[in-house]
Amino acid sequence: MDETKILLPEKELPEAWYNIIPRLPSPPAPPLNPQTKEPVKPEDLEPIFPKALIEQEMSPEPWIEIPSEVRDIYKLWRPTPLHRARNLEKALGTPARIYFKNESVSPPGSHKPNTAVAQAYYNKKAGIKRLATETGAGQWGSALSFACKLFGLECTVYMVKVSFEQKPFRKSLMHIWGAEVFPSPTNRTQAGRKILEENPDSTGSLGIAISEAVEDAATHEDTNYALGSVLNHVLLHQTVIGLETQKQLALIGEKPDILIGCVGGGSNFAGFAFPFIGDIIEGKLEAEVIAVEPTSCPTLTKGIYTYDFGDTAGLTPLLLMHTLGHSFEPPAIHAGGLRYHGDAPLVCQLVKDGFIKPRAYPQNPCFEAALLFAQTEGIIPAPETSHAIKAAVDEALKCKETGEEKVIVFGFSGHGHFDLAAYDAYLEGKLQDYEYPEEKIKEALKSLAHFPKFPTGI
Amino acid sequence: MDETKILLPEKELPEAWYNIIPRLPSPPAPPLNPQTKEPVKPEDLEPIFPKALIEQEMSPEPWIEIPSEVRDIYKLWRPTPLHRARNLEKALGTPARIYFKNESVSPPGSHKPNTAVAQAYYNKKAGIKRLATETGAGQWGSALSFACKLFGLECTVYMVKVSFEQKPFRKSLMHIWGAEVFPSPTNRTQAGRKILEENPDSTGSLGIAISEAVEDAATHEDTNYALGSVLNHVLLHQTVIGLETQKQLALIGEKPDILIGCVGGGSNFAGFAFPFIGDIIEGKLEAEVIAVEPTSCPTLTKGIYTYDFGDTAGLTPLLLMHTLGHSFEPPAIHAGGLRYHGDAPLVCQLVKDGFIKPRAYPQNPCFEAALLFAQTEGIIPAPETSHAIKAAVDEALKCKETGEEKVIVFGFSGHGHFDLAAYDAYLEGKLQDYEYPEEKIKEALKSLAHFPKFPTGI
């Protein structure tokens, strides 16, 4: 088999999403109502989510059919290619075979539209007219704008003000796809006005933007909220990535030895890895699964496994996850999509149970790997994606030492076309590495002291 | 057949480029030495081009084999998909079937690497260590940087100073792919120093940058020059686009009625259209072929068919083409790649002989069409590409009136990820349309008075 790109015909586009929940060794812990500390009821979520998505959130079904309307939109760019990274292998002199699943070919340039399209569809079907969401660097906001435009929904994006001002081009994307974009904090919501009263010069945060978007959705009958990661239904929609990858590897008769993805909120990683992890749980596959995060935001490698808020402001249900504490403020590293204090509960549970090995890298070695990738395979990786590449390179170099011909497969979550300023900074030697200090974690965790302890007892 | 994307397996990647020269009704007019007015001899070109490319420039062979090393690099992104633009069709309510050949999936984001990779290969094989080139907006410079990096060649790019300062991100791409980039005019060449002596604040021009790159190549033994359009060998390398498109249309049993491409120097248009035009010449196909240019630089629609310099400074051989005069200074519209005073001689000959119908549009209606495209098909077009989309939309709307189910196929030459400032300007209503005034053409043509007249007598 000497193809460079393994393509799937459109008829091989998965017809159902892969639900990991019924395949887990133990059932996932429910999200809790922060007042009552009781499990959240489906009806608690109805002011901001359509029923179909609430059902998916805790569905026991192993497969959930992808509506044909969603598949039709997926076909604008899916199935995505699986590439054999021959030039990278040659440059490393490794006997390993390296493959990457290329999600950068979607119009917004990342994996994000896999769920954005599904969420827009179910909201449209439920009679919703508008979706509100938050965005940091803009990957998610642009993906949701794209999806809303295709289904004729309006879209309101609360974009963290510092990004709104410093990253003008993802805002341009959202405008091209017809969304309205506001620098958060705004005067449009109580949450925003409160922040601005206290600090008129606030440059915003993802936590504030979430609060604004949720409030907008909760206070408008025709408007719902959409989230780009963390929740189970979001991870579910992303599993088309891993399902396609499995078919592509089968086509060329390869079995993966090492699977790698980068982790922020966890949706890219889960979408790529869950179908494989399910096979591992069921004893059908032996492989190492590596989740890569930045040392500046080492949730899985240094966080504590406990209940915490999903947002900074403390408005969301409590989620059982690895967390650095919801008051955690990540330093301004460029891999914006990996700066989240927690992680998807399903990913965290699999880390706790030993099915996923987390690993953290500082950003300079990641950019070094990204540059090698761009100079051999051509495509310029997003800073988030560079973390997965760094791990793939390290594993390939280990194979060079041992002589093992391992099959390494990683998720290429997005391109870096709107992150070139970060590359400029790297090439000019201006990027700083950052290790998150232990004492800061201890301090942040104090804010969690009154939350229910998980049975494993931390 | 209900696929959205028509894919070709890698084994269907063309094994030879399509040479239109031996299929033309009359042989092309040779380039002339500007001093002697005699046809340029191959050896005149050897200081700046490798022999293999000089041979291709006037080859009588109908097919020219693509070296396996070049095909291997092409496979990083080729064959490119042919998309059926169903969502656009629906939005227009047209009975026409619209297809587009998507060259935006290459790592540099356009068709340019099809020739950049070939040129880097032949120069590498000839023992050359470095390529010098010019770039305006940066599409060509980034494609050549990418190609040089893959073949281990150094690359020096003279980038028009105003673009160097205003379009920082295509410069970032070139740096990522390891090129050195200088704002032209520079102090590195006699040509540059002369300009700077006369005007230290010069913001440069493509003409000046060409002069610098050619001088750099001519004065360094180990260095050659590379050009991104206009010349026959450049157009030849681009024919993989049209050859693949033919195979893809055959796969789904479609015959094109209308073929559309945008034209700057002509390489994108020629690469897409020449294999079809050859079939038209040979009586195997009946189709309308439309070349679209901006009204601000209406070379094919308003220029004169005569001998002229390829560059502004008057250093290159004289080429027989439609020209606005080499002293033509195009207004600063955003479709930078379409701002060239002349056009590829092969394209011009086919316009003169009636095989290609040229058409010009102002930029606002082109951006309007591009926005509709982005909001239906998802992908954000380059401003150059928007000209082809506008023509496709107009033809599809004609079909709506007549009820004809025509098959419209256009070349989608590149994405607009590095042109979002132009979209911002469009959305803010700040873009101006521009009709090139007739009296300016008359004036510019005075500079051509002493050139040999073409037999058709203008």
Side-chain angles (χ1 to χ4, degrees), chain A residues 263-264 292-304 322-324 328 330-331 333 338-343 358-361 434-438 441:
Chain A
V263 183
V292 192
E293 60 184 15
T295 52
S296 57
C297 187
T299 324
L300 295 174
T301 51
K302 299 214 173 160
I304 305 290
H322 292 83
T323 175
L324 298 166
F328 164 77
I333 67 158
L338 306 182
R339 299 170 59 199
Y340 181 61
H341 70 274
D343 254 313
R359 181 185 295 186
Y361 288 113
Y434 186 87
E435 288 276 347
Y436 196 75
E438 305 278 347
I441 299 178

Side-chain angles (χ1 to χ4, degrees), chain B residues 103-104 106-116 133-147 157 159 163 167 169-171 173-174 177 206 228 238 262 267-268 334-338 380-385 412-419:
Chain B
E103 290 296 303
S104 78
S106 78
S110 77
H111 65 291
K112 290 286 187 193
N114 295 329
T115 185
T133 198
E134 72 287 338
T135 199
Q139 284 269 24
W140 169 243
S142 54
L144 191 69
S145 306
F146 159 78
V157 182
M159 186 171 186
S163 295
K167 304 211 168 185
F169 291 131
R170 284 232 173 77
K171 178 177 60 190
L173 291 181
M174 296 181 239
W177 287 315
L206 205 53
Q238 294 292 355
C262 63
S267 75
N268 156 67
H334 284 281
L338 305 182
I380 295 170
E384 292 84 357
T385 310
F412 189 91
S413 53
H415 63 61
H417 296 177
F418 308 113
D419 303 285

Side-chain angles (χ1 to χ4, degrees), chain A residues 22-39:
Chain A
R23 324 189 195 227
L24 292 173
S26 55
L32 303 182
N33 180 309
Q35 272 78 49
T36 64
K37 308 286 192 297
E38 292 297 315

Side-chain angles (χ1 to χ4, degrees), chain B residues 17-25 61-63 278 281-282 284:
Chain B
W17 290 300
Y18 180 93
N19 189 6
I20 193 115
I21 293 176
R23 322 188 196 226
L24 292 173
E61 296 299 325
W63 295 95
I281 293 173
E282 289 166 10
K284 293 187 219 158

